[in-house]
Amino acid sequence: MQLRLISWFFITLNFMEYIGSQNASRVRRQGRMHPNVSQGCQGGCATCSDYNGCLSCKPRLFFVLERIGMKQIGVCLSSCPSGYYGTRYPDINKCAKCKADCETCFTRNFCTKCKSGFYLYSGKCLEKCPDGLEANNHTMECTSIVHCEASEWSPWSPCTKKGKTCGFKRGNEVRVREIVQHPSARGNPCPATSESRKCIVQRKRCQKEGKGKKNREEKRKKSNKDESKETRQESKGREARRQNREQRENNNKTQPKKRKAPNKEQNLAPIDTAH
């Protein structure tokens, strides 16, 4: 019984010595990893060391490890750099790396921009777009295929031949339409935007352009000439009437007034009836 108690005593003593040696070793390792731990750090660090940089960050900042050669330095940033996404925990906020094919990401499983050679679709980076989609090399995304769309046809134009609408029986008429939606790279191509067909018109002679123009010019000149002639005649009439009126007025001023002849009956002497 005593021998058994002695054995348990030595076993317990050895176990306590082992626990103490492990704690001492951990303390020594921590001392080697983070020597000179300081509370008065700069650059957003809450705690830091000369060898490893920031060990913890101030509230709302993200902790991220930056590699400098073979060494990693802890830094504290207001937002995570490209290729990282931020995660917040009660005790620490830290930046984690995106997937290898993501240039930027919202979470590890949701990319927002892909690296060269990959196309973004629903938060994933793909080397080839799914069926029904096409690769857009400008945005590096998988987008829907767009087919061409055209407007309705315009009414048929007048029947013409060599630019004229008369002097023939058979000619051509055309109609047109516009492209309202251009296709994407894999979309259906656009149809023709113009159509032409034969047409028949009633034969009629074309009026010579020079003769018609000459007749219109002669009519215009004749009309202007008649108007000018009437105007001149009216002016001459007014001038003649004015001159006659002035002549009468001048004659009245220059001629003396005629005296009235005496009454013959009054001038005759009374006849003597006494004889």
Side-chain angles (χ1 to χ4, degrees):
M1 184 69 180
Q2 292 180 354
L3 182 61
R4 184 178 297 177
L5 291 175
I6 293 171
S7 299
W8 278 108
F9 174 76
F10 281 111
I11 291 172
T12 303
L13 181 62
N14 291 333
F15 180 75
M16 292 179 66
E17 289 179 354
Y18 174 76
I19 295 297
S21 63
Q22 290 295 321
N23 291 334
S25 177
R26 183 164 58 252
V27 170
R28 286 193 299 272
R29 288 197 301 272
Q30 290 178 353
R32 286 195 301 271
M33 291 177 62
H34 308 299
N36 302 324
V37 175
S38 174
Q39 298 292 332
C41 304
Q42 297 180 358
C45 300
T47 58
C48 60
S49 71
D50 295 337
Y51 184 79
N52 293 103
C54 294
L55 302 177
S56 63
C57 299
K58 294 179 180 179
R60 304 187 65 82
L61 297 181
F62 290 95
F63 177 81
V64 62
L65 290 174
E66 290 186 351
R67 181 174 294 278
I68 303 177
M70 298 298 294
K71 184 179 179 182
Q72 284 187 331
I73 300 296
V75 294
C76 296
L77 305 173
S78 58
S79 61
C80 294
S82 179
Y84 289 81
Y85 66 95
T87 56
R88 295 185 182 274
Y89 299 98
D91 55 341
I92 188 174
N93 302 326
K94 63 180 182 178
C95 295
K97 271 193 173 184
C98 300
K99 287 184 177 181
D101 51 9
C102 290
E103 185 171 336
T104 59
C105 60
F106 184 71
T107 64
R108 180 169 177 79
N109 296 321
F110 194 93
C111 296
T112 56
K113 186 178 180 181
C114 299
K115 290 184 178 180
S116 178
F118 295 90
Y119 298 95
L120 181 66
Y121 176 68
S122 298
K124 297 180 180 180
C125 294
L126 308 175
E127 294 183 0
K128 184 179 179 181
C129 292
D131 294 338
L133 301 175
E134 64 179 359
N136 189 325
N137 293 322
H138 180 67
T139 60
M140 298 304 294
E141 296 178 354
C142 294
T143 56
S144 301
I145 298 175
V146 179
H147 301 292
C148 182
E149 295 181 11
S151 64
E152 297 293 333
W153 286 107
S154 67
W156 288 101
S157 67
C159 193
T160 60
K161 184 177 182 180
K162 295 182 179 180
K164 296 182 179 181
T165 58
C166 58
F168 62 92
K169 185 176 181 180
R170 297 180 181 275
N172 292 286
E173 57 185 4
V174 297
R175 64 177 183 176
V176 296
R177 59 183 173 182
E178 296 181 354
I179 302 300
V180 296
Q181 176 63 62
H182 291 277
S184 58
R186 295 178 58 188
N188 295 335
C190 292
T193 56
S194 64
E195 283 185 350
S196 175
R197 68 181 183 182
K198 299 292 183 180
C199 55
I200 299 175
V201 297
Q202 186 177 0
R203 187 186 295 272
K204 61 179 180 179
R205 291 184 178 181
C206 295
Q207 184 179 4
K208 292 184 179 180
E209 183 178 356
K211 185 176 180 180
K213 185 176 181 181
K214 184 177 180 180
N215 291 338
R216 290 193 298 271
E217 186 67 22
E218 288 178 354
K219 288 181 180 180
R220 186 180 63 81
K221 290 182 178 180
K222 184 178 180 181
S223 177
N224 294 337
K225 185 177 181 181
D226 293 341
E227 291 178 359
S228 300
K229 185 176 181 181
E230 292 177 359
T231 303
R232 287 195 298 270
Q233 289 177 353
E234 291 178 359
S235 299
K236 288 180 179 180
R238 288 195 299 270
E239 183 66 21
R241 289 192 295 271
R242 185 182 64 79
Q243 291 178 358
N244 292 336
R245 187 171 56 254
E246 291 180 353
Q247 186 66 30
R248 287 195 301 269
E249 291 177 356
N250 293 332
N251 292 336
N252 293 333
K253 291 179 179 180
T254 57
Q255 291 180 2
K257 294 183 179 180
K258 294 182 180 180
R259 296 181 180 180
K260 293 182 179 181
N263 194 342
K264 292 180 179 182
E265 294 181 355
Q266 293 179 357
N267 295 330
L268 292 175
I271 299 174
D272 188 3
T273 57
H275 301 286

mmCIF file of all heavy atoms in Angstrom, residues 28-55:
data_model
loop_
_atom_site.group_PDB
_atom_site.id
_atom_site.type_symbol
_atom_site.label_atom_id
_atom_site.label_comp_id
_atom_site.label_asym_id
_atom_site.label_seq_id
_atom_site.Cartn_x
_atom_site.Cartn_y
_atom_site.Cartn_z
ATOM 1 N N ARG A 28 8.495 31.658 -23.639
ATOM 2 C CA ARG A 28 9.728 31.997 -24.337
ATOM 3 C C ARG A 28 9.462 32.213 -25.828
ATOM 4 O O ARG A 28 10.012 33.109 -26.453
ATOM 5 C CB ARG A 28 10.774 30.887 -24.110
ATOM 6 C CG ARG A 28 11.389 30.877 -22.723
ATOM 7 C CD ARG A 28 12.623 29.984 -22.686
ATOM 8 N NE ARG A 28 12.304 28.591 -23.022
ATOM 9 C CZ ARG A 28 11.922 27.680 -22.121
ATOM 10 N NH1 ARG A 28 11.802 28.014 -20.839
ATOM 11 N NH2 ARG A 28 11.669 26.451 -22.504
ATOM 12 N N ARG A 29 8.564 31.354 -26.439
ATOM 13 C CA ARG A 29 8.255 31.518 -27.859
ATOM 14 C C ARG A 29 7.543 32.840 -28.119
ATOM 15 O O ARG A 29 7.823 33.545 -29.090
ATOM 16 C CB ARG A 29 7.387 30.355 -28.343
ATOM 17 C CG ARG A 29 8.147 29.045 -28.465
ATOM 18 C CD ARG A 29 7.359 28.069 -29.338
ATOM 19 N NE ARG A 29 6.031 27.806 -28.790
ATOM 20 C CZ ARG A 29 5.766 26.845 -27.910
ATOM 21 N NH1 ARG A 29 6.741 26.059 -27.473
ATOM 22 N NH2 ARG A 29 4.538 26.677 -27.483
ATOM 23 N N GLN A 30 6.586 33.181 -27.246
ATOM 24 C CA GLN A 30 5.897 34.460 -27.409
ATOM 25 C C GLN A 30 6.854 35.627 -27.279
ATOM 26 O O GLN A 30 6.747 36.638 -27.980
ATOM 27 C CB GLN A 30 4.764 34.583 -26.393
ATOM 28 C CG GLN A 30 3.607 33.634 -26.678
ATOM 29 C CD GLN A 30 2.516 33.747 -25.626
ATOM 30 O OE1 GLN A 30 2.683 34.437 -24.616
ATOM 31 N NE2 GLN A 30 1.409 33.049 -25.856
ATOM 32 N N GLY A 31 7.808 35.505 -26.399
ATOM 33 C CA GLY A 31 8.789 36.564 -26.238
ATOM 34 C C GLY A 31 9.641 36.720 -27.488
ATOM 35 O O GLY A 31 10.011 37.827 -27.860
ATOM 36 N N ARG A 32 9.970 35.566 -28.134
ATOM 37 C CA ARG A 32 10.762 35.660 -29.351
ATOM 38 C C ARG A 32 9.926 36.229 -30.505
ATOM 39 O O ARG A 32 10.415 36.967 -31.331
ATOM 40 C CB ARG A 32 11.302 34.270 -29.719
ATOM 41 C CG ARG A 32 12.424 33.789 -28.832
ATOM 42 C CD ARG A 32 13.132 32.610 -29.472
ATOM 43 N NE ARG A 32 12.231 31.488 -29.716
ATOM 44 C CZ ARG A 32 11.983 30.519 -28.838
ATOM 45 N NH1 ARG A 32 12.574 30.547 -27.651
ATOM 46 N NH2 ARG A 32 11.168 29.529 -29.144
ATOM 47 N N MET A 33 8.571 35.869 -30.593
ATOM 48 C CA MET A 33 7.749 36.323 -31.709
ATOM 49 C C MET A 33 7.374 37.785 -31.574
ATOM 50 O O MET A 33 7.327 38.507 -32.560
ATOM 51 C CB MET A 33 6.486 35.470 -31.800
ATOM 52 C CG MET A 33 6.741 34.036 -32.224
ATOM 53 S SD MET A 33 5.226 33.073 -32.225
ATOM 54 C CE MET A 33 4.290 33.950 -33.463
ATOM 55 N N HIS A 34 7.060 38.220 -30.417
ATOM 56 C CA HIS A 34 6.595 39.583 -30.221
ATOM 57 C C HIS A 34 7.406 40.289 -29.139
ATOM 58 O O HIS A 34 6.918 40.557 -28.049
ATOM 59 C CB HIS A 34 5.115 39.586 -29.809
ATOM 60 C CG HIS A 34 4.261 38.781 -30.739
ATOM 61 N ND1 HIS A 34 4.118 39.057 -32.073
ATOM 62 C CD2 HIS A 34 3.501 37.677 -30.504
ATOM 63 C CE1 HIS A 34 3.292 38.193 -32.633
ATOM 64 N NE2 HIS A 34 2.917 37.326 -31.705
ATOM 65 N N PRO A 35 8.643 40.541 -29.418
ATOM 66 C CA PRO A 35 9.412 41.273 -28.411
ATOM 67 C C PRO A 35 9.001 42.735 -28.372
ATOM 68 O O PRO A 35 8.528 43.287 -29.355
ATOM 69 C CB PRO A 35 10.859 41.120 -28.914
ATOM 70 C CG PRO A 35 10.714 40.955 -30.393
ATOM 71 C CD PRO A 35 9.441 40.215 -30.612
ATOM 72 N N ASN A 36 9.168 43.321 -27.249
ATOM 73 C CA ASN A 36 8.896 44.750 -27.075
ATOM 74 C C ASN A 36 7.458 45.107 -27.453
ATOM 75 O O ASN A 36 7.205 46.042 -28.210
ATOM 76 C CB ASN A 36 9.883 45.588 -27.901
ATOM 77 C CG ASN A 36 11.327 45.299 -27.522
ATOM 78 O OD1 ASN A 36 11.633 45.063 -26.341
ATOM 79 N ND2 ASN A 36 12.204 45.305 -28.514
ATOM 80 N N VAL A 37 6.490 44.302 -26.966
ATOM 81 C CA VAL A 37 5.085 44.622 -27.224
ATOM 82 C C VAL A 37 4.765 45.963 -26.590
ATOM 83 O O VAL A 37 5.070 46.205 -25.424
ATOM 84 C CB VAL A 37 4.158 43.529 -26.670
ATOM 85 C CG1 VAL A 37 2.692 43.941 -26.827
ATOM 86 C CG2 VAL A 37 4.417 42.214 -27.369
ATOM 87 N N SER A 38 4.134 46.856 -27.396
ATOM 88 C CA SER A 38 3.885 48.211 -26.931
ATOM 89 C C SER A 38 2.405 48.542 -27.058
ATOM 90 O O SER A 38 1.704 48.024 -27.921
ATOM 91 C CB SER A 38 4.716 49.211 -27.765
ATOM 92 O OG SER A 38 4.364 50.542 -27.405
ATOM 93 N N GLN A 39 1.915 49.394 -26.191
ATOM 94 C CA GLN A 39 0.539 49.886 -26.258
ATOM 95 C C GLN A 39 0.456 51.249 -26.936
ATOM 96 O O GLN A 39 -0.613 51.672 -27.329
ATOM 97 C CB GLN A 39 -0.037 49.991 -24.832
ATOM 98 C CG GLN A 39 -0.124 48.656 -24.096
ATOM 99 C CD GLN A 39 -1.142 47.723 -24.706
ATOM 100 O OE1 GLN A 39 -2.113 48.177 -25.292
ATOM 101 N NE2 GLN A 39 -0.910 46.427 -24.579
ATOM 102 N N GLY A 40 1.547 51.976 -27.108
ATOM 103 C CA GLY A 40 1.548 53.310 -27.709
ATOM 104 C C GLY A 40 1.939 53.265 -29.174
ATOM 105 O O GLY A 40 2.941 53.849 -29.567
ATOM 106 N N CYS A 41 1.150 52.560 -30.012
ATOM 107 C CA CYS A 41 1.476 52.387 -31.434
ATOM 108 C C CYS A 41 0.817 53.476 -32.273
ATOM 109 O O CYS A 41 -0.099 54.163 -31.840
ATOM 110 C CB CYS A 41 1.008 51.016 -31.920
ATOM 111 S SG CYS A 41 1.693 49.655 -30.954
ATOM 112 N N GLN A 42 1.279 53.583 -33.501
ATOM 113 C CA GLN A 42 0.724 54.545 -34.446
ATOM 114 C C GLN A 42 0.140 53.812 -35.653
ATOM 115 O O GLN A 42 0.310 52.601 -35.807
ATOM 116 C CB GLN A 42 1.810 55.525 -34.903
ATOM 117 C CG GLN A 42 2.376 56.383 -33.778
ATOM 118 C CD GLN A 42 3.443 57.329 -34.274
ATOM 119 O OE1 GLN A 42 3.786 57.314 -35.447
ATOM 120 N NE2 GLN A 42 3.953 58.154 -33.371
ATOM 121 N N GLY A 43 -0.561 54.570 -36.522
ATOM 122 C CA GLY A 43 -1.102 53.982 -37.740
ATOM 123 C C GLY A 43 -2.298 53.099 -37.525
ATOM 124 O O GLY A 43 -2.538 52.173 -38.306
ATOM 125 N N GLY A 44 -3.085 53.315 -36.499
ATOM 126 C CA GLY A 44 -4.298 52.527 -36.269
ATOM 127 C C GLY A 44 -4.087 51.292 -35.433
ATOM 128 O O GLY A 44 -5.044 50.550 -35.172
ATOM 129 N N CYS A 45 -2.858 51.000 -35.028
ATOM 130 C CA CYS A 45 -2.590 49.800 -34.228
ATOM 131 C C CYS A 45 -2.997 50.026 -32.770
ATOM 132 O O CYS A 45 -2.711 51.076 -32.181
ATOM 133 C CB CYS A 45 -1.107 49.431 -34.288
ATOM 134 S SG CYS A 45 -0.530 49.081 -35.954
ATOM 135 N N ALA A 46 -3.619 49.014 -32.192
ATOM 136 C CA ALA A 46 -3.903 49.054 -30.754
ATOM 137 C C ALA A 46 -2.704 48.524 -29.978
ATOM 138 O O ALA A 46 -2.304 49.089 -28.964
ATOM 139 C CB ALA A 46 -5.160 48.243 -30.435
ATOM 140 N N THR A 47 -2.122 47.425 -30.456
ATOM 141 C CA THR A 47 -0.878 46.880 -29.906
ATOM 142 C C THR A 47 0.035 46.541 -31.081
ATOM 143 O O THR A 47 -0.425 46.235 -32.182
ATOM 144 C CB THR A 47 -1.137 45.617 -29.059
ATOM 145 O OG1 THR A 47 -1.793 44.633 -29.876
ATOM 146 C CG2 THR A 47 -2.006 45.950 -27.851
ATOM 147 N N CYS A 48 1.351 46.563 -30.834
ATOM 148 C CA CYS A 48 2.295 46.333 -31.923
ATOM 149 C C CYS A 48 3.626 45.862 -31.361
ATOM 150 O O CYS A 48 3.838 45.847 -30.142
ATOM 151 C CB CYS A 48 2.489 47.602 -32.737
ATOM 152 S SG CYS A 48 3.124 48.996 -31.758
ATOM 153 N N SER A 49 4.487 45.460 -32.271
ATOM 154 C CA SER A 49 5.855 45.073 -31.910
ATOM 155 C C SER A 49 6.792 45.569 -32.995
ATOM 156 O O SER A 49 6.383 45.811 -34.127
ATOM 157 C CB SER A 49 5.971 43.549 -31.743
ATOM 158 O OG SER A 49 5.874 42.912 -32.997
ATOM 159 N N ASP A 50 8.070 45.682 -32.641
ATOM 160 C CA ASP A 50 9.043 46.152 -33.608
ATOM 161 C C ASP A 50 9.256 45.146 -34.729
ATOM 162 O O ASP A 50 9.593 45.512 -35.851
ATOM 163 C CB ASP A 50 10.377 46.431 -32.909
ATOM 164 C CG ASP A 50 10.258 47.576 -31.907
ATOM 165 O OD1 ASP A 50 9.327 48.397 -32.085
ATOM 166 O OD2 ASP A 50 11.072 47.634 -30.977
ATOM 167 N N TYR A 51 9.055 43.872 -34.446
ATOM 168 C CA TYR A 51 9.349 42.836 -35.439
ATOM 169 C C TYR A 51 8.139 42.528 -36.322
ATOM 170 O O TYR A 51 8.263 42.375 -37.528
ATOM 171 C CB TYR A 51 9.798 41.557 -34.723
ATOM 172 C CG TYR A 51 10.227 40.455 -35.662
ATOM 173 C CD1 TYR A 51 11.482 40.472 -36.259
ATOM 174 C CD2 TYR A 51 9.347 39.410 -35.958
ATOM 175 C CE1 TYR A 51 11.866 39.473 -37.130
ATOM 176 C CE2 TYR A 51 9.730 38.398 -36.839
ATOM 177 C CZ TYR A 51 10.985 38.432 -37.421
ATOM 178 O OH TYR A 51 11.344 37.440 -38.282
ATOM 179 N N ASN A 52 6.946 42.440 -35.746
ATOM 180 C CA ASN A 52 5.753 42.012 -36.492
ATOM 181 C C ASN A 52 4.775 43.132 -36.797
ATOM 182 O O ASN A 52 3.708 42.874 -37.363
ATOM 183 C CB ASN A 52 5.010 40.923 -35.712
ATOM 184 C CG ASN A 52 5.805 39.640 -35.633
ATOM 185 O OD1 ASN A 52 6.389 39.346 -34.612
ATOM 186 N ND2 ASN A 52 5.827 38.890 -36.715
ATOM 187 N N GLY A 53 5.086 44.377 -36.445
ATOM 188 C CA GLY A 53 4.168 45.468 -36.730
ATOM 189 C C GLY A 53 2.948 45.425 -35.836
ATOM 190 O O GLY A 53 3.043 45.159 -34.631
ATOM 191 N N CYS A 54 1.770 45.672 -36.431
ATOM 192 C CA CYS A 54 0.531 45.678 -35.648
ATOM 193 C C CYS A 54 0.182 44.272 -35.202
ATOM 194 O O CYS A 54 0.258 43.316 -35.978
ATOM 195 C CB CYS A 54 -0.616 46.259 -36.476
ATOM 196 S SG CYS A 54 -0.429 48.016 -36.873
ATOM 197 N N LEU A 55 -0.228 44.155 -33.924
ATOM 198 C CA LEU A 55 -0.714 42.884 -33.391
ATOM 199 C C LEU A 55 -2.233 42.906 -33.233
ATOM 200 O O LEU A 55 -2.876 41.862 -33.319
ATOM 201 C CB LEU A 55 -0.049 42.591 -32.041
ATOM 202 C CG LEU A 55 1.479 42.540 -32.060
ATOM 203 C CD1 LEU A 55 2.013 42.305 -30.656
ATOM 204 C CD2 LEU A 55 1.972 41.467 -33.011
#
